[in-house]
Amino acid sequence: MGGLGLFMLGSIFCAVAGNLPLLLFGRVVQGLGACAASVLSRAIARDLFEGEELARTLALTMIAMAAAPGFSPLIGSALDSLFGWRSTFFGVAAFSATLALHYWTSAGETHPLDCRTPIGPFAIASAYGRLAVDLRFLFPALSVSLVIGGLYALFATTPSILMDGLGFTALQLGIFFASTVFVVFSAGFLAPRLARRWGQRAIGLIGLIIALAGGYVLFACAAAPALTPFTTGVVLYLLGMGLINPLGTALALNPFGAHAGLASALLGFLQMGCAAVSVSFASILPLPSSASVAAVLTMASALALLAFLPVTIRGTKLHAA
């Protein structure tokens, strides 16, 4: 509730900001509030479910998270053209208030008192330290985080590739992003069903291989980007990401029911850290945007695959380092 309230206040501050520094400050406040909802959505899922049910729930959570960056450019463009840019911030403020009301009246507390940890800084640091060296968490969490990092690099560079390189308009770019969301939808619905038959680790591995294939396709067409091969590479990467994200997250969180919030928070930190590194590399590489994002996605997928191999080979034998 605190995170949603902070996000709403940050959104309203952005909507009434009179200059760029104030707008950026409001965006920082928004981000601080959004972190709570992002982390706790996974923690709440772990509080309530485990095993295959946890994978299925996280798949639905992932679909919802994918819908936001997929549809938001299109919705934001429409609001901007109809009512001005400030309306987008008023819109998300109203949405956060509605979500907070629903959560307050329907969801309730899912984390029991006997599972809570002390709030002292030394206790929290110690718990994070133990979690960070537990291979049951570390390997699947790194795999998911590296792929998510590549996704953010893709979001950052695609406007340049499509608008500057292929002549897309802002509306066409929004439609492109919105259409790719359906790939993530499909993968999210498939992941738990495939995992039920062949296992989470096997399907997670296949997802990483598909993501790596998408990076190779983008790399192959980087010298002369065209819409069909670029879209093919993006679809493959998103399909692979859609498979590994819920399954890898479930594998990372499942052994830590008593510390679901800590595990989810550390996973979120790793994801945003990998995103920052991936976007930075995609920006600073002395290559065209199409080549830099292809290199980042290929490297991220390859590293994620290497990190996930011990999970596939050793399975539940992984333990604290």
Side-chain angles (χ1 to χ4, degrees):
M1 291 301 298
L4 289 170
L6 195 61
F7 180 82
M8 182 178 65
L9 290 176
S11 300
I12 294 173
F13 194 93
C14 289
V16 300
N19 54 56
L20 182 59
L22 290 178
L23 178 64
L24 293 176
F25 174 77
R27 293 287 285 162
V28 171
V29 175
Q30 268 191 316
L32 292 172
C35 288
S38 176
V39 166
L40 291 174
S41 63
R42 294 186 295 261
I44 290 169
R46 181 59 190 89
D47 285 342
L48 298 174
F49 306 102
E50 60 182 26
E52 291 183 0
E53 288 186 334
L54 176 61
R56 184 165 59 251
T57 304
L58 289 171
L60 294 174
T61 304
M62 181 210 67
I63 289 172
M65 288 183 174
F71 288 121
S72 58
L74 192 60
I75 297 172
S77 297
L79 288 173
D80 181 29
S81 61
L82 292 173
F83 307 108
W85 65 267
R86 296 181 188 273
S87 65
T88 60
F89 292 107
F90 281 123
V92 293
F95 179 78
S96 62
T98 304
L99 182 61
L101 179 63
H102 171 73
Y103 182 79
W104 180 263
T105 57
S106 302
E109 181 57 63
T110 62
H111 196 52
L113 286 172
D114 57 353
C115 289
R116 299 182 189 181
T117 55
I119 201 171
F122 293 107
I124 293 175
S126 176
Y128 274 129
R130 291 192 300 271
L131 195 61
V133 297
D134 194 315
L135 303 184
R136 295 174 299 170
F137 170 83
L138 190 59
F139 283 141
L142 277 176
S143 301
V144 172
S145 300
L146 286 163
V147 175
I148 293 296
L151 179 67
Y152 275 82
L154 185 64
F155 285 151
T157 55
T158 294
S160 174
I161 296 169
L162 293 184
M163 297 180 75
D164 297 339
L166 300 179
F168 271 43
T169 64
L171 177 60
Q172 289 173 325
L173 178 67
I175 293 173
F176 178 86
F177 274 125
S179 61
T180 58
V181 170
F182 291 101
V183 179
V184 184
F185 283 0
S186 301
F189 283 114
L190 281 174
R193 289 163 176 80
L194 294 174
R196 193 177 303 119
R197 179 162 184 172
W198 286 291
Q200 294 179 358
R201 293 173 177 83
I203 301 304
L205 182 66
I206 291 172
L208 289 170
I209 293 172
I210 294 173
L212 182 60
Y216 276 126
V217 170
L218 291 174
F219 205 79
C221 70
L227 182 59
T228 298
F230 179 78
T231 303
T232 301
V234 169
V235 167
L236 286 173
Y237 191 84
L238 291 178
L239 179 61
M241 185 275 298
L243 293 176
I244 182 59
N245 190 6
L247 301 179
T249 301
L251 289 169
L253 299 184
N254 202 48
F256 306 102
H259 302 286
L262 288 171
S264 179
L266 187 55
L267 177 61
F269 174 80
L270 289 173
Q271 289 179 354
M272 293 302 99
C274 288
V277 172
S278 296
V279 172
S280 298
F281 270 109
S283 302
I284 65 176
L285 286 176
L287 299 169
S289 296
S290 56
S292 63
V293 71
V296 169
L297 263 60
T298 302
M299 182 60 69
S301 302
L303 291 174
L305 186 60
L306 288 175
F308 198 74
L309 284 177
V311 180
T312 307
I313 296 171
R314 299 179 64 184
T316 56
K317 295 180 181 179
L318 292 173
H319 52 81

